[in-house]
Amino acid sequence: MRHIVAMASASLLACPSVTMAQPIPDWSIAQLEDAISEGELGKIKAAAIEQGGETIYRERFDKAEPGRPVDIKSAGKSITAIAVGMAIDDGALPGLDTKVWPLLGSERGAPFDAITVADLLGMASALDCNDWERRSPGQEEKMYRTRIWRDFALSLPAREFVRDEDGDGPFSYCTAGVFLLGQVVEAATGEAFDAYVERRLFDPLAIDGAEWRRSRSGEVQSGGQLTISDTALLKIGRMVLDGGEWQGQQIVSKEWLQHMLTPRHQLGEHVYYSNLWWATLLRSKSGYVPALMMKGNGGNMVALVPSFDAVLVVQTRNYNRKSAERNGFTVLTTLLASLGEAPAD
């Protein structure tokens, strides 16, 4: 799997992953734990390191029991990408070119009927939907105020939309579109989205206690807001690092993971977006190294670092705070530094 991640991260150079107003501190694990206990990083709930299949650090920073689930917000989108790949692997979903509106029985004409699974996976559809802009018709908080999210998402207006030479439209972060991917999985498989993910992903990895947010009408929020444990995230990260394999069972194909993790949009100097996964760099004792990430509001992050064969997890409740991302990267950087130099290939 390392070569897949290396290919996906080929565009990243050896320099900082994010531009911060203040530099990320160079702390030991003990200094990190002291800072968290003093509240310097807000509400950090849990942090963990898995390397080579072994959990080597795991700590809970509040009074909850270890392993108590935390809402990881949009980091759950990355699991939806895995679910789409499993549905394709199973032959239930024809492929990435599948037209979403016709599949869901909601033909509207152009440009809606041309929106594909690939468009929604890459946050590059014709929908006028941008969670980072409050005035956007598709901004996710507007969806949450409705009873039936499917109706909201399928009735969104279109934006000006031109595909590039690779067939991609311009990036626009759209949770409503990712919610529709869950509806696609349901239509293709004939199973509720959460039941399908449980059967195909969570059960084989012995993950329990995960819970998805639902609309008032009972729809599963496949666009994130997944409450899940740190141990579950370590397992999912390990499965991806191991090329989709878990204890001898192929959970999702290597071919899908290679596609899923290949960057499609450059969003910052060294920040890329692929298919509901992020690609960036993390500082280590060996310099800056590529990482592929699940990332959500509050600084909730899971980082796969192939050069260290490691999975790093930070769970927080720093929701909607300006300092949240920096604090999350502070935890990840400290965890990675604790592993020392990258092992020789």
Side-chain angles (χ1 to χ4, degrees), residues 130-148:
N130 183 354
D131 295 345
W132 299 346
E133 173 52 61
R134 288 182 179 271
R135 296 182 180 179
S136 170
Q139 206 273 343
E140 66 175 311
E141 294 301 327
K142 297 177 182 178
M143 182 174 76
Y144 298 145
R145 291 195 289 268
T146 67
R147 183 175 183 277
I148 302 176

Side-chain angles (χ1 to χ4, degrees), residues 287-335:
Y288 287 93
V289 295
L292 296 175
M293 297 180 62
M294 304 166 57
K295 190 155 74 78
N297 189 334
N300 285 282
M301 300 177 184
V302 180
L304 280 54
V305 189
S307 58
F308 284 82
D309 192 25
V311 181
L312 314 176
V313 171
V314 55
Q315 292 182 298
T316 90
R317 292 192 186 277
N318 291 325
Y319 306 131
N320 302 317
R321 296 188 180 184
K322 291 182 179 180
S323 60
E325 182 162 289
R326 178 183 183 275
N327 291 344
F329 273 105
T330 295
V331 177
L332 289 183
T333 298
T334 304
L335 296 178

